[in-house]
Short mmCIF file of all heavy atoms in Angstrom, two decimals:
data_model
loop_
_atom_site.label_atom_id
_atom_site.label_comp_id
_atom_site.label_asym_id
_atom_site.label_seq_id
_atom_site.Cartn_x
_atom_site.Cartn_y
_atom_site.Cartn_z
N MET H 978 -2.65 -8.97 -3.49
CA MET H 978 -3.71 -9.32 -4.40
C MET H 978 -4.15 -10.75 -4.15
O MET H 978 -3.35 -11.58 -3.71
CB MET H 978 -3.24 -9.23 -5.84
CG MET H 978 -3.23 -7.86 -6.41
SD MET H 978 -2.95 -7.96 -8.16
CE MET H 978 -1.49 -6.99 -8.27
N VAL H 979 -5.38 -11.01 -4.48
CA VAL H 979 -5.94 -12.34 -4.34
C VAL H 979 -6.67 -12.66 -5.62
O VAL H 979 -7.38 -11.83 -6.18
CB VAL H 979 -6.93 -12.39 -3.15
CG1 VAL H 979 -7.55 -13.75 -3.03
CG2 VAL H 979 -6.25 -11.99 -1.87
N GLN H 980 -6.51 -13.88 -6.10
CA GLN H 980 -7.23 -14.33 -7.29
C GLN H 980 -7.34 -15.84 -7.23
O GLN H 980 -6.41 -16.52 -6.82
CB GLN H 980 -6.48 -13.89 -8.57
CG GLN H 980 -7.01 -14.47 -9.86
CD GLN H 980 -8.45 -14.11 -10.16
OE1 GLN H 980 -9.02 -13.18 -9.63
NE2 GLN H 980 -9.08 -14.88 -10.99
N HIS H 981 -8.47 -16.37 -7.61
CA HIS H 981 -8.67 -17.82 -7.67
C HIS H 981 -9.13 -18.17 -9.07
O HIS H 981 -9.97 -17.48 -9.64
CB HIS H 981 -9.72 -18.26 -6.65
CG HIS H 981 -10.05 -19.71 -6.74
ND1 HIS H 981 -9.24 -20.68 -6.21
CD2 HIS H 981 -11.07 -20.35 -7.32
CE1 HIS H 981 -9.75 -21.87 -6.45
NE2 HIS H 981 -10.86 -21.69 -7.13
N TRP H 982 -8.57 -19.24 -9.61
CA TRP H 982 -9.05 -19.73 -10.90
C TRP H 982 -8.80 -21.23 -10.96
O TRP H 982 -8.01 -21.77 -10.21
CB TRP H 982 -8.41 -19.02 -12.09
CG TRP H 982 -6.94 -19.25 -12.29
CD1 TRP H 982 -6.34 -20.31 -12.91
CD2 TRP H 982 -5.87 -18.41 -11.88
NE1 TRP H 982 -4.99 -20.18 -12.91
CE2 TRP H 982 -4.67 -19.01 -12.28
CE3 TRP H 982 -5.81 -17.19 -11.22
CZ2 TRP H 982 -3.43 -18.44 -12.04
CZ3 TRP H 982 -4.57 -16.63 -10.98
CH2 TRP H 982 -3.42 -17.25 -11.38
N THR H 983 -9.47 -21.88 -11.89
CA THR H 983 -9.29 -23.30 -12.12
C THR H 983 -8.38 -23.47 -13.31
O THR H 983 -8.61 -22.89 -14.37
CB THR H 983 -10.65 -23.98 -12.39
OG1 THR H 983 -11.50 -23.73 -11.27
CG2 THR H 983 -10.48 -25.47 -12.59
N GLN H 984 -7.34 -24.25 -13.12
CA GLN H 984 -6.37 -24.51 -14.18
C GLN H 984 -6.85 -25.70 -15.00
O GLN H 984 -7.33 -26.69 -14.46
CB GLN H 984 -5.01 -24.80 -13.51
CG GLN H 984 -3.84 -24.74 -14.41
CD GLN H 984 -3.51 -23.33 -14.90
OE1 GLN H 984 -4.06 -22.33 -14.47
NE2 GLN H 984 -2.61 -23.25 -15.82
N ASP H 985 -6.76 -25.61 -16.33
CA ASP H 985 -7.21 -26.68 -17.22
C ASP H 985 -6.29 -27.90 -17.18
O ASP H 985 -6.70 -28.99 -17.55
CB ASP H 985 -7.31 -26.18 -18.67
CG ASP H 985 -8.42 -25.14 -18.82
OD1 ASP H 985 -9.39 -25.17 -18.03
OD2 ASP H 985 -8.32 -24.31 -19.73
N THR H 986 -5.06 -27.70 -16.75
CA THR H 986 -4.09 -28.79 -16.68
C THR H 986 -3.50 -28.85 -15.28
O THR H 986 -3.70 -27.96 -14.46
CB THR H 986 -2.95 -28.57 -17.69
OG1 THR H 986 -2.21 -27.42 -17.30
CG2 THR H 986 -3.46 -28.39 -19.11
N ALA H 987 -2.73 -29.92 -15.02
CA ALA H 987 -2.07 -30.06 -13.73
C ALA H 987 -0.85 -29.14 -13.64
O ALA H 987 -0.34 -28.88 -12.55
CB ALA H 987 -1.65 -31.51 -13.51
N GLU H 988 -0.41 -28.63 -14.76
CA GLU H 988 0.76 -27.74 -14.82
C GLU H 988 0.39 -26.37 -14.25
O GLU H 988 -0.61 -25.78 -14.65
CB GLU H 988 1.21 -27.60 -16.28
CG GLU H 988 2.47 -26.83 -16.49
CD GLU H 988 3.72 -27.57 -16.03
OE1 GLU H 988 3.67 -28.80 -15.96
OE2 GLU H 988 4.71 -26.90 -15.74
N PRO H 989 1.17 -25.85 -13.32
CA PRO H 989 0.86 -24.51 -12.80
C PRO H 989 1.11 -23.45 -13.87
O PRO H 989 1.89 -23.65 -14.80
CB PRO H 989 1.84 -24.35 -11.63
CG PRO H 989 2.96 -25.29 -11.93
CD PRO H 989 2.37 -26.43 -12.71
N PRO H 990 0.46 -22.29 -13.73
CA PRO H 990 0.69 -21.22 -14.71
C PRO H 990 2.10 -20.66 -14.56
O PRO H 990 2.71 -20.76 -13.50
CB PRO H 990 -0.35 -20.18 -14.35
CG PRO H 990 -0.61 -20.40 -12.90
CD PRO H 990 -0.46 -21.88 -12.68
N SER H 991 2.60 -20.07 -15.63
CA SER H 991 3.90 -19.40 -15.56
C SER H 991 3.74 -18.16 -14.69
O SER H 991 2.62 -17.66 -14.48
CB SER H 991 4.37 -19.00 -16.96
OG SER H 991 3.50 -18.01 -17.49
N TRP H 992 4.85 -17.64 -14.17
CA TRP H 992 4.79 -16.41 -13.38
C TRP H 992 4.17 -15.26 -14.16
O TRP H 992 3.32 -14.55 -13.63
CB TRP H 992 6.17 -16.03 -12.86
CG TRP H 992 6.56 -16.82 -11.64
CD1 TRP H 992 7.58 -17.72 -11.54
CD2 TRP H 992 5.94 -16.79 -10.35
NE1 TRP H 992 7.63 -18.24 -10.28
CE2 TRP H 992 6.63 -17.69 -9.52
CE3 TRP H 992 4.87 -16.09 -9.82
CZ2 TRP H 992 6.28 -17.90 -8.19
CZ3 TRP H 992 4.53 -16.31 -8.49
CH2 TRP H 992 5.23 -17.19 -7.70
N PRO H 993 4.57 -15.05 -15.43
CA PRO H 993 3.94 -13.95 -16.19
C PRO H 993 2.42 -14.14 -16.36
O PRO H 993 1.65 -13.19 -16.24
CB PRO H 993 4.66 -13.97 -17.53
CG PRO H 993 5.99 -14.57 -17.23
CD PRO H 993 5.71 -15.61 -16.18
N GLU H 994 1.98 -15.38 -16.62
CA GLU H 994 0.55 -15.64 -16.77
C GLU H 994 -0.19 -15.39 -15.44
O GLU H 994 -1.25 -14.76 -15.41
CB GLU H 994 0.30 -17.07 -17.23
CG GLU H 994 -1.17 -17.40 -17.37
CD GLU H 994 -1.45 -18.85 -17.71
OE1 GLU H 994 -0.51 -19.65 -17.88
OE2 GLU H 994 -2.65 -19.19 -17.79
N ALA H 995 0.39 -15.86 -14.34
CA ALA H 995 -0.23 -15.65 -13.03
C ALA H 995 -0.30 -14.15 -12.72
O ALA H 995 -1.32 -13.66 -12.23
CB ALA H 995 0.56 -16.39 -11.96
N TYR H 996 0.77 -13.42 -13.00
CA TYR H 996 0.78 -11.98 -12.77
C TYR H 996 -0.32 -11.29 -13.58
O TYR H 996 -1.08 -10.48 -13.05
CB TYR H 996 2.15 -11.40 -13.13
CG TYR H 996 2.17 -9.89 -13.07
CD1 TYR H 996 2.37 -9.22 -11.88
CD2 TYR H 996 1.98 -9.13 -14.23
CE1 TYR H 996 2.37 -7.84 -11.82
CE2 TYR H 996 1.97 -7.76 -14.18
CZ TYR H 996 2.17 -7.11 -12.97
OH TYR H 996 2.15 -5.74 -12.92
N ASP H 997 -0.41 -11.62 -14.87
CA ASP H 997 -1.42 -11.00 -15.73
C ASP H 997 -2.83 -11.26 -15.19
O ASP H 997 -3.67 -10.37 -15.17
CB ASP H 997 -1.29 -11.51 -17.16
CG ASP H 997 -0.06 -10.97 -17.86
OD1 ASP H 997 0.52 -9.97 -17.39
OD2 ASP H 997 0.34 -11.57 -18.89
N ARG H 998 -3.09 -12.50 -14.75
CA ARG H 998 -4.40 -12.82 -14.21
C ARG H 998 -4.67 -12.04 -12.93
O ARG H 998 -5.79 -11.57 -12.70
CB ARG H 998 -4.52 -14.31 -13.93
CG ARG H 998 -4.68 -15.14 -15.17
CD ARG H 998 -4.95 -16.57 -14.78
NE ARG H 998 -5.04 -17.43 -15.94
CZ ARG H 998 -5.57 -18.63 -15.92
NH1 ARG H 998 -6.04 -19.13 -14.78
NH2 ARG H 998 -5.62 -19.36 -17.00
N MET H 999 -3.65 -11.92 -12.09
CA MET H 999 -3.82 -11.20 -10.84
C MET H 999 -4.16 -9.73 -11.11
O MET H 999 -5.06 -9.17 -10.49
CB MET H 999 -2.55 -11.27 -9.99
CG MET H 999 -2.25 -12.64 -9.46
SD MET H 999 -3.38 -13.17 -8.19
CE MET H 999 -2.82 -12.18 -6.83
N VAL H 1000 -3.46 -9.12 -12.04
CA VAL H 1000 -3.68 -7.71 -12.34
C VAL H 1000 -5.05 -7.50 -12.99
O VAL H 1000 -5.76 -6.55 -12.67
CB VAL H 1000 -2.54 -7.17 -13.24
CG1 VAL H 1000 -2.86 -5.79 -13.77
CG2 VAL H 1000 -1.23 -7.15 -12.46
N GLN H 1001 -5.44 -8.41 -13.89
CA GLN H 1001 -6.69 -8.24 -14.63
C GLN H 1001 -7.92 -8.65 -13.83
O GLN H 1001 -8.97 -8.02 -13.93
CB GLN H 1001 -6.64 -9.04 -15.93
CG GLN H 1001 -5.61 -8.52 -16.90
CD GLN H 1001 -5.36 -9.48 -18.06
OE1 GLN H 1001 -6.04 -10.49 -18.20
NE2 GLN H 1001 -4.37 -9.17 -18.87
N GLN H 1002 -7.79 -9.73 -13.03
CA GLN H 1002 -8.97 -10.30 -12.39
C GLN H 1002 -8.89 -10.31 -10.86
O GLN H 1002 -9.87 -10.63 -10.20
CB GLN H 1002 -9.18 -11.74 -12.86
CG GLN H 1002 -9.32 -11.85 -14.35
CD GLN H 1002 -9.23 -13.31 -14.83
OE1 GLN H 1002 -9.22 -14.23 -14.03
NE2 GLN H 1002 -9.14 -13.49 -16.13
N GLY H 1003 -7.74 -9.96 -10.31
CA GLY H 1003 -7.55 -10.05 -8.87
C GLY H 1003 -8.21 -8.91 -8.11
O GLY H 1003 -8.75 -7.98 -8.69
N ARG H 1004 -8.15 -9.04 -6.81
CA ARG H 1004 -8.66 -7.99 -5.94
C ARG H 1004 -7.65 -7.76 -4.83
O ARG H 1004 -6.80 -8.61 -4.55
CB ARG H 1004 -10.01 -8.35 -5.36
CG ARG H 1004 -9.98 -9.56 -4.45
CD ARG H 1004 -11.33 -9.78 -3.77
NE ARG H 1004 -11.34 -11.00 -3.01
CZ ARG H 1004 -10.84 -11.15 -1.78
NH1 ARG H 1004 -10.27 -10.13 -1.19
NH2 ARG H 1004 -10.90 -12.31 -1.16
N LYS H 1005 -7.73 -6.62 -4.21
CA LYS H 1005 -6.83 -6.32 -3.09
C LYS H 1005 -7.17 -7.23 -1.92
O LYS H 1005 -8.34 -7.45 -1.62
CB LYS H 1005 -7.00 -4.88 -2.64
CG LYS H 1005 -6.47 -3.85 -3.57
CD LYS H 1005 -6.59 -2.50 -2.90
CE LYS H 1005 -7.05 -1.46 -3.87
NZ LYS H 1005 -7.26 -0.17 -3.25
N SER H 1006 -6.15 -7.75 -1.27
CA SER H 1006 -6.38 -8.47 -0.02
C SER H 1006 -6.52 -7.45 1.10
O SER H 1006 -6.06 -6.32 1.00
CB SER H 1006 -5.22 -9.44 0.25
OG SER H 1006 -4.01 -8.74 0.27
N LYS H 1007 -7.20 -7.85 2.15
CA LYS H 1007 -7.39 -6.95 3.29
C LYS H 1007 -6.17 -7.03 4.18
O LYS H 1007 -5.77 -8.11 4.61
CB LYS H 1007 -8.64 -7.35 4.06
CG LYS H 1007 -9.91 -7.17 3.25
CD LYS H 1007 -11.12 -7.63 4.03
CE LYS H 1007 -12.36 -7.52 3.15
NZ LYS H 1007 -13.55 -8.03 3.82
N VAL H 1008 -5.56 -5.89 4.41
CA VAL H 1008 -4.39 -5.82 5.28
C VAL H 1008 -4.59 -4.69 6.28
O VAL H 1008 -5.29 -3.71 6.00
CB VAL H 1008 -3.08 -5.62 4.49
CG1 VAL H 1008 -2.79 -6.81 3.59
CG2 VAL H 1008 -3.13 -4.36 3.67
N LYS H 1009 -3.97 -4.84 7.43
CA LYS H 1009 -4.14 -3.85 8.49
C LYS H 1009 -3.45 -2.53 8.17
O LYS H 1009 -3.99 -1.46 8.42
CB LYS H 1009 -3.60 -4.42 9.79
CG LYS H 1009 -4.09 -3.71 11.01
CD LYS H 1009 -3.71 -4.48 12.26
CE LYS H 1009 -4.65 -4.13 13.38
NZ LYS H 1009 -4.41 -4.91 14.57
N TYR H 1010 -2.25 -2.60 7.62
CA TYR H 1010 -1.47 -1.40 7.31
C TYR H 1010 -1.04 -1.43 5.83
O TYR H 1010 0.09 -1.77 5.52
CB TYR H 1010 -0.24 -1.32 8.22
CG TYR H 1010 -0.60 -1.31 9.67
CD1 TYR H 1010 -0.39 -2.41 10.47
CD2 TYR H 1010 -1.17 -0.17 10.26
CE1 TYR H 1010 -0.73 -2.42 11.81
CE2 TYR H 1010 -1.52 -0.16 11.60
CZ TYR H 1010 -1.30 -1.29 12.37
OH TYR H 1010 -1.65 -1.27 13.70
N PRO H 1011 -1.94 -1.08 4.92
CA PRO H 1011 -1.60 -1.15 3.49
C PRO H 1011 -0.55 -0.11 3.09
O PRO H 1011 -0.54 1.01 3.60
CB PRO H 1011 -2.93 -0.87 2.79
CG PRO H 1011 -3.71 -0.07 3.79
CD PRO H 1011 -3.29 -0.57 5.14
N SER H 1012 0.32 -0.51 2.20
CA SER H 1012 1.30 0.43 1.66
C SER H 1012 0.63 1.31 0.61
O SER H 1012 -0.50 1.03 0.17
CB SER H 1012 2.45 -0.35 1.01
OG SER H 1012 1.98 -1.03 -0.14
N ASP H 1013 1.31 2.35 0.19
CA ASP H 1013 0.78 3.20 -0.88
C ASP H 1013 0.58 2.38 -2.16
O ASP H 1013 -0.42 2.56 -2.86
CB ASP H 1013 1.72 4.37 -1.16
CG ASP H 1013 1.72 5.38 -0.03
OD1 ASP H 1013 0.74 5.44 0.75
OD2 ASP H 1013 2.71 6.14 0.07
N ALA H 1014 1.52 1.49 -2.47
CA ALA H 1014 1.40 0.65 -3.66
C ALA H 1014 0.18 -0.26 -3.55
O ALA H 1014 -0.53 -0.48 -4.54
CB ALA H 1014 2.66 -0.18 -3.87
N HIS H 1015 -0.06 -0.80 -2.37
CA HIS H 1015 -1.24 -1.66 -2.17
C HIS H 1015 -2.52 -0.86 -2.42
O HIS H 1015 -3.43 -1.35 -3.09
CB HIS H 1015 -1.22 -2.22 -0.75
CG HIS H 1015 -2.37 -3.14 -0.46
ND1 HIS H 1015 -2.33 -4.48 -0.74
CD2 HIS H 1015 -3.59 -2.91 0.08
CE1 HIS H 1015 -3.48 -5.04 -0.38
NE2 HIS H 1015 -4.26 -4.09 0.12
N LEU H 1016 -2.58 0.33 -1.90
CA LEU H 1016 -3.76 1.16 -2.09
C LEU H 1016 -3.98 1.50 -3.57
O LEU H 1016 -5.13 1.62 -4.01
CB LEU H 1016 -3.64 2.45 -1.28
CG LEU H 1016 -3.67 2.27 0.23
CD1 LEU H 1016 -3.35 3.59 0.93
CD2 LEU H 1016 -5.01 1.72 0.69
N ARG H 1017 -2.90 1.63 -4.33
CA ARG H 1017 -3.00 1.92 -5.76
C ARG H 1017 -3.14 0.65 -6.61
O ARG H 1017 -3.28 0.73 -7.81
CB ARG H 1017 -1.77 2.69 -6.23
CG ARG H 1017 -1.69 4.11 -5.70
CD ARG H 1017 -0.55 4.89 -6.34
NE ARG H 1017 0.73 4.23 -6.20
CZ ARG H 1017 1.62 4.44 -5.23
NH1 ARG H 1017 1.34 5.32 -4.28
NH2 ARG H 1017 2.75 3.79 -5.20
N PHE H 1018 -3.10 -0.53 -5.95
CA PHE H 1018 -3.21 -1.82 -6.63
C PHE H 1018 -2.05 -2.00 -7.61
O PHE H 1018 -2.22 -2.39 -8.75
CB PHE H 1018 -4.55 -1.93 -7.35
CG PHE H 1018 -4.99 -3.34 -7.63
CD1 PHE H 1018 -5.18 -4.25 -6.62
CD2 PHE H 1018 -5.24 -3.75 -8.92
CE1 PHE H 1018 -5.60 -5.54 -6.88
CE2 PHE H 1018 -5.65 -5.05 -9.21
CZ PHE H 1018 -5.85 -5.94 -8.18
N GLU H 1019 -0.85 -1.68 -7.14
CA GLU H 1019 0.36 -1.79 -7.96
C GLU H 1019 1.24 -2.92 -7.44
O GLU H 1019 1.57 -2.94 -6.25
CB GLU H 1019 1.17 -0.50 -7.91
CG GLU H 1019 0.51 0.66 -8.56
CD GLU H 1019 1.33 1.93 -8.44
OE1 GLU H 1019 2.30 1.97 -7.66
OE2 GLU H 1019 0.97 2.90 -9.10
N VAL H 1020 1.60 -3.81 -8.33
CA VAL H 1020 2.51 -4.89 -7.99
C VAL H 1020 3.52 -5.00 -9.12
O VAL H 1020 3.14 -4.99 -10.30
CB VAL H 1020 1.76 -6.24 -7.85
CG1 VAL H 1020 2.71 -7.38 -7.61
CG2 VAL H 1020 0.74 -6.15 -6.74
N ASP H 1021 4.79 -5.06 -8.79
CA ASP H 1021 5.83 -5.18 -9.82
C ASP H 1021 5.69 -6.49 -10.57
O ASP H 1021 5.37 -7.52 -9.96
CB ASP H 1021 7.22 -5.11 -9.19
CG ASP H 1021 7.54 -3.74 -8.62
OD1 ASP H 1021 6.90 -2.75 -9.03
OD2 ASP H 1021 8.41 -3.66 -7.74
N ARG H 1022 5.91 -6.44 -11.86
CA ARG H 1022 5.92 -7.66 -12.68
C ARG H 1022 7.07 -8.54 -12.22
O ARG H 1022 8.18 -8.03 -12.00
CB ARG H 1022 6.07 -7.30 -14.16
CG ARG H 1022 6.08 -8.51 -15.08
CD ARG H 1022 6.05 -8.12 -16.54
NE ARG H 1022 4.72 -7.75 -16.98
CZ ARG H 1022 3.75 -8.62 -17.26
NH1 ARG H 1022 3.96 -9.90 -17.12
NH2 ARG H 1022 2.57 -8.20 -17.65
N PRO H 1023 6.84 -9.84 -12.05
CA PRO H 1023 7.93 -10.72 -11.60
C PRO H 1023 9.04 -10.81 -12.64
O PRO H 1023 8.78 -10.77 -13.85
CB PRO H 1023 7.27 -12.07 -11.39
CG PRO H 1023 6.03 -12.02 -12.21
CD PRO H 1023 5.61 -10.58 -12.28
N VAL H 1024 10.27 -10.93 -12.16
CA VAL H 1024 11.42 -11.13 -13.03
C VAL H 1024 11.67 -12.62 -13.09
O VAL H 1024 11.90 -13.27 -12.06
CB VAL H 1024 12.67 -10.41 -12.47
CG1 VAL H 1024 13.89 -10.70 -13.33
CG2 VAL H 1024 12.41 -8.91 -12.39
N VAL H 1025 11.57 -13.18 -14.29
CA VAL H 1025 11.75 -14.62 -14.46
C VAL H 1025 13.12 -14.88 -15.07
O VAL H 1025 13.44 -14.38 -16.14
CB VAL H 1025 10.64 -15.20 -15.37
CG1 VAL H 1025 10.83 -16.70 -15.56
CG2 VAL H 1025 9.27 -14.88 -14.80
N ARG H 1026 13.91 -15.64 -14.34
CA ARG H 1026 15.25 -16.00 -14.82
C ARG H 1026 15.22 -17.44 -15.28
O ARG H 1026 14.33 -18.20 -14.91
CB ARG H 1026 16.26 -15.80 -13.71
CG ARG H 1026 16.44 -14.33 -13.35
CD ARG H 1026 17.48 -14.16 -12.27
NE ARG H 1026 17.86 -12.78 -12.03
CZ ARG H 1026 17.13 -11.89 -11.39
NH1 ARG H 1026 15.93 -12.22 -10.95
NH2 ARG H 1026 17.56 -10.65 -11.22
N GLY H 1027 16.21 -17.86 -16.04
CA GLY H 1027 16.30 -19.23 -16.52
C GLY H 1027 16.32 -20.23 -15.40
O GLY H 1027 16.75 -19.94 -14.29
N SER H 1028 15.82 -21.42 -15.64
CA SER H 1028 15.79 -22.47 -14.61
C SER H 1028 17.19 -23.04 -14.41
O SER H 1028 18.03 -22.99 -15.30
CB SER H 1028 14.82 -23.58 -14.98
OG SER H 1028 15.18 -24.16 -16.21
N ALA H 1029 17.44 -23.57 -13.24
CA ALA H 1029 18.76 -24.10 -12.89
C ALA H 1029 19.01 -25.44 -13.51
O ALA H 1029 18.21 -26.18 -13.88
CB ALA H 1029 18.89 -24.21 -11.37
#
């Protein structure tokens, strides 16, 4: 997936926020050999663990 947006702050978005934006506003990137999941526009939600 590909998505571009302007962030209001210097702080990067959280993984869940970035994922939500990608799913809602993103588009498929062009790849030579797309997987079935790519063709269906399916990406697993990221698993966020506590920071070290």
Side-chain angles (χ1 to χ4, degrees):
M978 279 191 239
V979 178
Q980 171 60 19
H981 176 79
W982 67 82
T983 303
Q984 195 69 9
D985 293 334
T986 65
E988 186 71 23
S991 66
W992 280 115
E994 179 185 358
Y996 173 84
D997 289 343
R998 286 187 183 196
M999 292 290 285
V1000 170
Q1001 294 168 6
Q1002 302 168 9
R1004 64 174 175 80
K1005 289 186 221 176
S1006 56
K1007 295 178 184 176
V1008 296
K1009 198 170 204 175
Y1010 302 106
S1012 67
D1013 290 338
H1015 181 86
L1016 293 172
R1017 290 188 305 267
F1018 202 60
E1019 293 177 348
V1020 175
D1021 292 339
R1022 180 173 281 282
V1024 176
V1025 179
R1026 292 181 170 76
S1028 59

